[in-house]
Amino acid sequence: MADELRILYRDEHLVVVHKPAGLLVHRTALARGEREFLLQRLRDRLGQRVYPAHRLDRPTSGAMVFALSPEIAASLGEAFAGREVAKRYLAVVRGIGPATERLDYALREEDGSRPKAEMPAMEAVTDIRRLDSVELPVQVDRYPHSRYSLMEACPLTGRRHQIRRHLSRRGYPIIGDAKHGKGNHNRFFAEHLGTPRLLLAAVGVAFDHPASGQRLRVECAPDGAMTALLERFGWAGHLPRDGVRALAPGDTPWPAVATPPTDPLTTP
């Protein structure tokens, strides 16, 4: 992978790292022919066993939490399963997304174990907010101009491909999503804007430390290609930086947007 494995936070109990886009977390039945995995790279880097506390899709980049012992892994796993962990993502989508909205669409599992129609529908909730937007004087679809938005997505549940499926169902597919997106827009970004990948990044995670009980917020800057795109669109002000902060009781996990979203501006 071109992106270096960045360690965002580490102590004797756990470590939070930046997972590069395109890298599988661990070996699975779908990993035929793959020789490199995030778990392996991190284990070799630290010189000790590591235990993933949650999952990130292969094409998604961003912050991922690993425990350094089975006991801490169990505690973190319970926190993620119990919806005690706050997660924040940034996504570039087609169209002008809503200023703010809660997407509450039940989703069926997509693990391939049996036909999707036979899977039970499970509760899935995602809060979304438009941070910025842009209009390009380029005809990608049927219209002479093309509009895109930078969306914040905070999933309140943890279904497979939840953010991708929710935004697509709402009519704002994420750029680079081969399964739920739009091929012509994906190709435009790959061929002309240097981003041949899913433009979804896990940029923040907030949780109670399983040993100390202190609530931590770990922020993660997007990778180089996504950062360059946001800067090109004039969205640099929304880019998070790598960092860790201890939260006091009552603190909100994510900083407020400095300025509300405005009408899209055309860029050359």
Side-chain angles (χ1 to χ4, degrees):
M1 293 295 162
D3 280 74
E4 180 185 357
L5 185 64
R6 304 191 329 253
I7 293 181
L8 306 169
Y9 174 83
R10 179 186 178 185
D11 61 25
E12 65 269 33
H13 302 289
L14 59 91
V15 60
V16 186
V17 301
H18 170 267
K19 185 190 87 67
L23 184 65
L24 285 166
V25 173
H26 50 67
R27 195 178 302 276
T28 71
L30 301 177
R32 298 174 182 174
E34 295 294 328
R35 298 181 178 180
E36 192 172 13
F37 306 89
L38 178 60
L39 188 149
Q40 170 196 359
R41 287 182 61 181
L42 183 60
R43 179 199 65 199
D44 294 346
R45 171 87 171 266
L46 301 182
Q48 67 180 106
R49 293 192 65 179
V50 295
Y51 306 83
H54 59 118
R55 67 187 181 192
L56 280 181
D57 296 336
R58 178 177 184 169
T60 304
S61 65
M64 181 153 187
V65 185
F66 285 83
L68 299 180
S69 72
E71 296 76 20
I72 295 296
S75 180
L76 285 170
E78 290 175 1
F80 275 93
R83 305 182 187 180
E84 299 168 7
V85 179
K87 294 169 283 185
R88 181 175 186 254
Y89 292 74
L90 292 182
V92 179
V93 306
R94 185 199 67 180
I96 305 301
T100 182
E101 191 170 321
R102 172 163 290 186
L103 305 183
D104 188 356
Y105 308 137
L107 297 174
R108 299 181 188 276
E109 185 59 271
E110 292 184 325
D111 62 2
S113 61
R114 52 180 169 151
K116 182 177 173 182
E118 297 179 4
M119 304 295 280
M122 299 179 292
E123 178 192 20
V125 183
T126 308
D127 284 341
I128 62 171
R129 177 171 56 160
R130 174 165 47 88
L131 303 181
D132 224 323
S133 55
V134 69
E135 182 175 289
L136 304 181
V138 178
Q139 183 169 356
V140 177
D141 213 326
R142 69 183 76 174
Y143 305 108
H145 292 75
S146 301
R147 293 180 167 188
Y148 303 98
S149 297
L150 177 64
M151 303 296 296
E152 173 190 75
C154 296
L156 306 184
T157 53
R159 308 306 176 199
R160 186 184 298 270
H161 300 167
Q162 177 174 313
I163 296 173
R164 297 161 62 180
R165 295 165 71 186
H166 268 177
L167 283 169
S168 178
R169 178 167 173 176
R170 182 63 177 81
Y172 305 99
I174 300 175
I175 299 300
D177 190 339
K179 185 172 184 179
H180 306 286
K182 297 282 288 185
N184 51 354
H185 291 274
N186 295 347
R187 287 189 295 273
F188 171 68
F189 273 71
E191 296 171 4
H192 300 283
L193 297 175
T195 49
R197 48 152 292 201
L198 179 72
L199 293 180
L200 176 66
V203 296
V205 59
F207 57 93
D208 294 335
H209 193 287
S212 68
Q214 172 67 61
R215 192 157 184 83
L216 298 177
R217 183 184 78 201
V218 183
E219 293 192 277
C220 177
D223 61 24
M226 190 166 176
T227 292
L229 179 75
L230 267 60
E231 291 173 342
R232 180 171 184 170
F233 282 177
W235 298 343
H238 301 293
L239 283 166
R241 297 179 180 179
D242 291 353
V244 181
R245 177 183 173 184
L247 299 178
D251 283 354
T252 56
W254 316 122
V257 176
T259 56
T262 58
D263 291 334
L265 299 176
T266 301
T267 60

